[in-house]
Amino acid sequence: MRDVWNSGGVAYGAWTTIADPVAVTLVARGGFDYTCVDLQHGMATFGELPTILRYLMGTGTTRLVRVPSSAAAPITRALDLGAQGVVVPMVEDAEEAARAVAAARYPALPGAPETHGRRSWGPIFWDLGEAPGPAEANEEVIVVVMIETPGAFAQIERIAAVPGVDVLYVGPYDFALSSGYGQATYRDNAEVEQRMRRVVDVALEHGKIPAVHCTDLQMVRDWRERGARMLTACLDTTVIAEAFAARLAGATDTGRG
């Protein structure tokens, strides 16, 4: 993902909720820049996560995990188990964003830039030869904070200014729901669209990556045009449901149904 961003490109990803390593691997092998394992709303738990992440290690996708909360323990745990970045939900203010950054990065090493990190060293995957050392991890780890509440929107400038936050990620449906707009989307509510645009613009102004969670390809195209540089293009369960429905429709159209 960092290579894509450094070259000025847009990173495209898939969101997975199925607690099965084979299913997640099939998703990742679609060629996505990142694959996010959802531990907040998905069926996977920390019990399945080590196996899922090990399967993903051979796919070439950046391994992200949406942790259940902004608490330090799940952030550190996800990274220790092989995640290359964390998606932190329901971040309300700059202080909460800063705590997430601290949990995701180790303290600064001699001669290295300040990291504001407090992550503790867990050597298990280092012993297996599958984890970077502290200096490399501090450079590589990706911290994504989700902007999905009125409180976060009111603090957007301060959150964007937090050192170590890499991505401001709009969760558009919680964003609308928590703001009193129900299930309205940017397509049918001008205020929702304006708020989402504001997050994208502020992210760019502060040198952060603006991201949007999308539910269909038109939404991907719309927010790419509006400046987003990280776009979740699909959810595994949605793709499976649509694919099977389309296959059944095609089968019955043959006249053999």
Side-chain angles (χ1 to χ4, degrees), residues 112 231 237 239:
L231 292 159
T237 51
V239 171

Side-chain angles (χ1 to χ4, degrees), residues 56-76:
L56 288 179
M57 285 179 183
T59 63
T61 188
T62 296
R63 304 180 298 275
L64 300 183
V65 172
R66 176 157 73 168
V67 292
S69 73
S70 63
I75 292 173
T76 301

Side-chain angles (χ1 to χ4, degrees), residues 161-236:
V162 173
V165 167
D166 298 294
V167 179
L168 300 185
Y169 190 108
V170 179
Y173 297 99
D174 273 325
F175 199 37
L177 186 63
S178 65
S179 300
Y181 300 113
Q183 293 181 299
T185 74
Y186 74 100
R187 294 181 175 120
D188 49 45
N189 187 298
E191 183 65 22
V192 172
E193 180 182 20
Q194 290 170 9
R195 291 189 176 201
M196 291 176 66
R197 280 182 180 268
R198 174 66 176 156
V199 175
V200 171
D201 291 345
V202 169
L204 293 172
E205 290 167 6
H206 286 264
K208 311 295 186 181
I209 298 296
V212 176
H213 194 92
C214 302
T215 54
D216 56 67
L217 294 180
Q218 185 57 53
M219 190 172 182
V220 171
R221 289 188 284 267
D222 288 346
W223 288 96
R224 181 178 60 209
E225 292 174 0
R226 290 165 169 81
R229 298 186 58 207
M230 176 180 173
L231 292 159
T232 296
C234 59
L235 175 69
D236 55 359

Side-chain angles (χ1 to χ4, degrees), residues 21-25 28 49-59 63:
V22 175
V24 177
T25 303
L49 190 60
T51 303
I52 291 173
L53 291 177
R54 287 183 68 82
Y55 269 68
L56 288 179
M57 285 179 183
T59 63
R63 304 180 298 275

